[in-house]
């Protein structure tokens, strides 16, 4: 069905939920003709002054291991923000949705109150084939939400490797939720996380666990000082209880302080750099897909695999052969433009 992009743009700018939902479905689509329409939609929406790097929206990534309390936290924070007059969008980047086709993040049943809130919009993670595909859809969904007047966008992701780095690359401030862990258990927190976190909150600081959480926060704060250099933003480590809505406002204040620290120019620079990095990430992702689907590569892949495993050819030669097969396929595709899409 042909998409009426003009009507969709109007609906999104009007903040209509149905239009927002349709627009996000459109940008998540991998179908060729829908991608054209998605591109047109995004080009129009991001041409607005006050969009893109100049968007006034507060973009925050929220991460942590399953069970740390992400959805409870987002529910508490989101409800506070909408009560204060904000419009809150919640997106999710879930690499496991790529494998399972379903997402545990951004699941509305996990945020019952917020999903019934007319000033909040929750969208589960797209299952777009690859982390790059999910990231692409999420960044575009963010533009849709911002164009629709959502001034806070929370991007939830789970604490596993690359997805956190990916989310850190699309938000202004990265909030890491953790649990009270002391001493040796601190090692369990990957150094990489400490490097990308802008604010750290030790959650479940309630009841008998409050003291323990405070000690953990202090230890984590000293660990942070070792990781971050002087003069840089020193990520604050605070405690909160998402379940009882204790000090969730304090966590938010820290997020806003981080934004203030960046300043308007710093924020615009950060976002511009993210755009550039993301551009190359998209190109790499697309090339990877093309490589996988290249008929030339497919034709020799199994043979090359067997030869490498049998020790008959070295990796360098195998790589050269695969690349040659790919290049040849690309050449042929260029000669027959109508088939270029088949790669
Ligand atoms: P997620 O997997 O990170 O989204 O974690 P959830 O938000 O689903 O929380 C996992 C469990 O921890 C649930 O049973 C929550 O009720 C509980 N929980 C979340 N936040 C807190 C908290 O601040 N204190 C306590 N005691 N429990 C919490």
């Amino acid at each position: 069905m042909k998409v009426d992009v003009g009507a969709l743009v109007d609906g999104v700018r009007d903040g209509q939920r149905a239009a927002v939902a349709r627009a996000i479905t459109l940008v998540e689509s991998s179908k060729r003709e829908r991608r054209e329409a998605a591109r047109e939609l995004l080009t129009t929406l991001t041409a607005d002054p006050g969009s893109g790097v100049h968007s006034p929206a507060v973009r925050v990534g929220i991460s942590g291991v399953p069970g740390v309390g992400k959805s409870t936290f987002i529910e508490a924070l989101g409800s506070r923000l909408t009560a204060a007059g904000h419009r809150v969008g919640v997106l999710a980047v879930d690499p496991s949705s790529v494998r399972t086709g379903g997402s545990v993040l951004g699941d509305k049943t996990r945020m019952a109150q917020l999903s019934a809130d007319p000033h909040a919009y929750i969208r589960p993670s797209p299952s777009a084939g690859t982390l790059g595909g999910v990231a692409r859809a999420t960044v575009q969904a963010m533009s849709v939400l911002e164009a629709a007047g959502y001034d806070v966008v929370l991007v939830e992701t789970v604490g596993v490797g690359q997805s956190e780095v990916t989310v850190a690359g699309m938000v202004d401030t990265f909030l890491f939720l953790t649990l009270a862990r002391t001493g040796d258990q601190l090692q369990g927190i990957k150094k990489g996380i400490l490097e990308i976190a802008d604010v750290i909150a030790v959650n479940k600081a309630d009841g008998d666990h409050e003291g323990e959480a405070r000690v953990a926060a202090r230890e984590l704060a000293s660990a942070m000082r070792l990781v971050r250099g002087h003069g840089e933003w020193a990520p604050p480590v605070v405690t909160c209880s998402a379940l009882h809505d204790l000090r969730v406002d304090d966590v938010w204040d820290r997020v806003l302080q981080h934004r203030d620290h960046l300043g308007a120019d710093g924020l615009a620079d950060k976002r511009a750099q993210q755009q550039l990095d993301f551009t190359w990430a998209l190109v790499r992702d697309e090339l990877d897909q093309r490589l996988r689907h290249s008929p030339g590569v497919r034709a020799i892949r199994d043979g090359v695999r067997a030869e490498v495993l049998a020790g008959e050819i070295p990796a360098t030669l195998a790589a050269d052969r695969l690349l040659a097969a790919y290049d040849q396929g690309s050449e042929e595709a260029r000669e027959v433009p109508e088939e270029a899409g088949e790669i």
Side-chain angles (χ1 to χ4, degrees), residues 64-73 105 110 156 177 203-206 209 240-245:
V65 296
V68 73
K70 293 181 295 300
S71 60
T72 312
F73 181 85
L105 299 182
R110 290 164 70 237
E156 180 188 11
L177 294 181
N203 190 34
K204 306 198 186 182
D206 46 43
H209 300 289
C240 69
S241 166
L243 190 62
H244 301 293
D245 195 2

Side-chain angles (χ1 to χ4, degrees), residues 57-134:
V58 180
R59 304 170 180 167
V60 181
I62 299 179
S63 153
V65 296
V68 73
K70 293 181 295 300
S71 60
T72 312
F73 181 85
I74 292 171
E75 172 107 330
L77 174 66
S79 303
R80 274 181 168 275
L81 291 171
T82 58
H86 292 286
R87 294 183 70 206
V88 179
V90 180
L91 300 171
V93 169
D94 181 0
S96 73
S97 69
V98 170
R99 261 177 285 121
T100 61
S103 171
V104 291
L105 299 182
D107 176 356
K108 293 185 186 166
T109 57
R110 290 164 70 237
M111 302 174 203
Q113 191 187 336
L114 200 58
S115 33
D117 187 329
H119 302 294
Y121 187 91
I122 303 179
R123 182 87 181 181
S125 179
S127 42
T130 60
L131 178 56
V134 173

Side-chain angles (χ1 to χ4, degrees), residues 175-178 194 197-202 220 224 235-239:
L175 166 64
F176 182 64
L177 294 181
T178 186
L194 300 183
D198 299 306
V199 178
I200 298 181
V202 180
L220 209 43
M224 288 305 292
V237 186
V238 295
T239 63

